[in-house]
Amino acid sequence: MTAKVRILRRKTLCLAAAGTALCNVTLAAQPDAKKEEHFYIADQYVYDDNLFRAPEGEDPQAVPADPNDPTSTPRAVSREDYVNRITVGAGNDFHMGQQTLRLKGRVFDAQYADNDYLDYTGGDATAQFDFRALTVFSGRLSGGYSRTLAEFANTRGTAQDLLETFNYNALVRYEIGPRWSISASGGRSETEHDLVTREQENVEADMGRLSLDYATPSYHSFGVEYRYIDAKFPNAVIAPGASASDSDYEENAALARFTYTATIRTQFRVSAGYVERERPANPEGRYSGDTWRAEIDWKPREKFSTLFSAWSELKAYTDVESDYFISDGFSLAPTWSPTEKLILALSVAYEDQEYLNSRDLVVVGEQRNDDVLSGLFTFTYKPRDQLAIELSYRGTDRDSNRINRRYDAQTAGVSVRWSVF
């Protein structure tokens, strides 16, 4: 038995013990809610043929033994790899009259076969409290945390970068009669990189939202909302004489939403509006323009459903918020369940990304522009209510006017999940 196998076995036992302890705490807190509790253990094994999302013909660069010390001895890396991820998760709903507390969390341990310096322990957790008071008031308090490996498609390197995100939100809704309601919410989101060379991408954002909604007896609805975001990059370089970094921004958006329920099996959802993003220290990074999204949710048969979406929105990846782009795209996601034990799901998406602000060196006469085509297929078999076996395949093809951003990648995996209760 190799040392790595022994370490993996010890970590598996520790994860299982931690999950069992969490479940015991849940049972002690509310012994009469067994139907709502769940505790599961899962193991996923995935093959990735282009782990670092490197362009075709380009070998991934060697990485320093210590990613935070560029002078340390470099070590070779493998373009393709296998990763095994063991997960333990638990959650529960606590009902207290008209109030509900929902807790959910999981921890996982990822082990790479060749690039073992990427091994890490991650996870996520959420807490949500739904409340109602004085008949017309309701709301939600929520918070979340996650820790995972940053996407190599955005890091353009081979060093390990663990990404931690925190978010907090509070929402209050006031019902104006049986059809109208007004709601207001505020929150904060924080993203942190543990790789020193990427700490300038750490971001802290304060958000606010105000919405007025109307619902009809036939399940149609209409609403208007205003959104505000104030994002700061505390570790980004600030030019001499400037009061903010080039990455800091403020965003204002006004949107209208409409939902039309044609039949019990068909629903149309549309939202459209105007968004304006200001960068106090970087006038060239400003943007203002239209934004919209349209969705068709169709379920022609009891065992078959599909969701079609199209959009034009301002977006950015979570681990590189300073690079933002206009996203024009569409997706199709059909799901078929021929029997109670089988589920087949497919998701295909195309996205044209026109970057408005990017860390890449600007090519004379044009900004960065990417075309991303991706697809995910999953086959799930549930021989028992507690047991699920899933086969998956994901393919991604990115084209770009930046040579170092072009790549294609395929991943295939198998996972087994056992819900203890």
Side-chain angles (χ1 to χ4, degrees):
M1 184 183 298
T2 66
K4 185 170 183 179
V5 171
R6 287 196 296 271
I7 293 173
L8 178 59
R9 183 167 295 179
R10 286 200 300 271
K11 288 187 176 181
T12 303
L13 293 174
C14 290
L15 289 171
T20 302
L22 180 58
C23 285
N24 289 335
V25 171
T26 299
L27 284 169
Q30 190 171 348
D32 60 344
K34 286 188 175 182
K35 293 182 179 180
E36 295 179 349
E37 295 169 355
H38 66 274
F39 167 58
Y40 68 89
I41 301 174
D43 190 17
Q44 182 185 44
Y45 195 70
V46 176
Y47 166 73
D48 194 322
D49 76 341
N50 187 5
L51 179 64
F52 301 104
R53 303 302 183 253
E56 185 176 357
E58 178 185 303
D59 292 327
Q61 297 178 351
V63 64
D66 180 357
N68 290 319
D69 180 10
T71 63
S72 60
T73 304
R75 58 172 295 166
V77 299
S78 174
R79 183 186 183 91
E80 57 186 73
D81 208 345
Y82 295 86
V83 59
N84 186 63
R85 191 165 89 164
I86 299 173
T87 303
V88 173
N92 192 21
D93 289 358
F94 300 87
H95 299 285
M96 299 159 283
Q98 293 184 316
Q99 332 306 325
T100 301
L101 175 63
R102 294 183 172 89
L103 301 177
K104 183 171 65 174
R106 62 175 179 166
V107 60
F108 55 81
D109 186 73
Q111 299 280 317
Y112 291 78
D114 295 326
N115 301 294
D116 56 4
Y117 72 95
L118 294 175
D119 295 351
Y120 74 100
T121 299
D124 51 63
T126 59
Q128 178 180 303
F129 179 64
D130 294 330
F131 63 89
R132 176 171 288 276
L134 303 176
T135 307
V136 296
F137 284 100
S138 61
R140 171 175 295 172
L141 303 175
S142 62
Y145 167 80
S146 70
R147 184 176 191 263
T148 189
L149 188 67
E151 291 287 342
F152 288 106
N154 297 322
T155 63
R156 288 300 300 129
T158 54
Q160 185 192 63
D161 180 25
L162 295 179
L163 190 71
E164 289 186 299
T165 60
F166 308 80
N167 63 79
Y168 324 92
N169 189 268
L171 178 145
V172 177
R173 178 181 293 106
Y174 174 66
E175 297 176 5
I176 311 171
R179 305 293 172 211
W180 290 91
S181 67
I182 184 170
S183 60
S185 65
R188 182 177 177 85
S189 175
E190 300 176 6
T191 301
E192 297 180 0
H193 298 259
D194 81 330
L195 186 62
V196 172
T197 56
R198 297 207 67 209
E199 287 184 347
Q200 72 275 9
E201 290 294 335
N202 291 355
V203 60
E204 301 172 354
D206 295 315
M207 298 164 284
R209 175 179 173 271
L210 184 65
S211 176
L212 177 66
D213 295 275
Y214 174 77
T216 72
S218 52
Y219 304 103
H220 308 318
S221 65
F222 173 79
V224 292
E225 70 175 65
Y226 164 76
R227 293 198 307 244
Y228 172 77
I229 302 175
D230 181 11
K232 307 292 186 185
F233 293 74
N235 292 28
V237 176
I238 299 178
S243 59
S245 74
D246 285 352
S247 300
D248 293 359
Y249 70 86
E250 295 180 6
E251 182 176 302
N252 293 272
L255 300 171
R257 305 181 311 274
F258 177 68
T259 299
Y260 176 70
T261 306
T263 68
I264 193 173
R265 298 184 181 276
T266 306
Q267 187 177 75
F268 299 87
R269 297 184 290 268
V270 178
S271 65
Y274 189 82
V275 61
E276 183 178 72
R277 177 172 290 195
E278 294 285 340
R279 290 185 179 257
N282 182 15
E284 294 183 358
R286 296 175 180 173
Y287 171 78
S288 59
D290 299 331
T291 179
W292 61 268
R293 172 176 284 268
E295 296 180 341
I296 302 175
D297 198 343
W298 184 42
K299 190 176 181 180
R301 296 289 185 271
E302 185 64 30
K303 298 180 178 181
F304 179 82
S305 64
T306 186
L307 175 65
F308 175 77
S309 305
W311 64 84
S312 178
E313 298 175 328
L314 196 62
K315 290 185 178 181
Y317 290 104
T318 303
D319 58 342
V320 56
E321 287 279 356
S322 63
D323 291 2
Y324 71 97
F325 51 87
I326 302 172
S327 169
D328 294 311
F330 61 86
S331 65
L332 181 65
T335 301
W336 180 42
S337 181
T339 70
E340 292 183 355
K341 297 182 178 182
L342 297 178
I343 302 175
L344 289 83
L346 175 66
S347 177
V348 179
Y350 168 79
E351 188 176 40
D352 175 70
Q353 301 175 347
E354 182 182 346
Y355 281 78
L356 301 167
N357 192 75
S358 175
R359 296 164 299 157
D360 291 345
L361 294 177
V362 177
V363 177
V364 177
E366 60 180 346
Q367 290 288 97
R368 176 183 165 189
N369 189 268
D370 294 2
D371 293 308
V372 183
L373 179 64
S374 61
L376 172 65
F377 173 75
T378 59
F379 173 84
T380 305
Y381 173 55
K382 298 185 67 174
R384 295 184 178 184
D385 291 339
Q386 299 90 348
L387 178 64
I389 303 170
E390 182 179 278
L391 303 177
S392 64
Y393 169 81
R394 181 188 297 273
T396 304
D397 189 347
R398 178 187 290 270
D399 191 16
S400 176
N401 60 355
R402 301 290 196 274
I403 296 177
N404 65 349
R405 295 290 178 174
R406 301 172 187 168
Y407 71 85
D408 63 81
Q410 289 80 40
T411 62
V414 57
S415 66
V416 178
R417 171 171 169 150
W418 175 258
S419 299
V420 181
F421 52 80

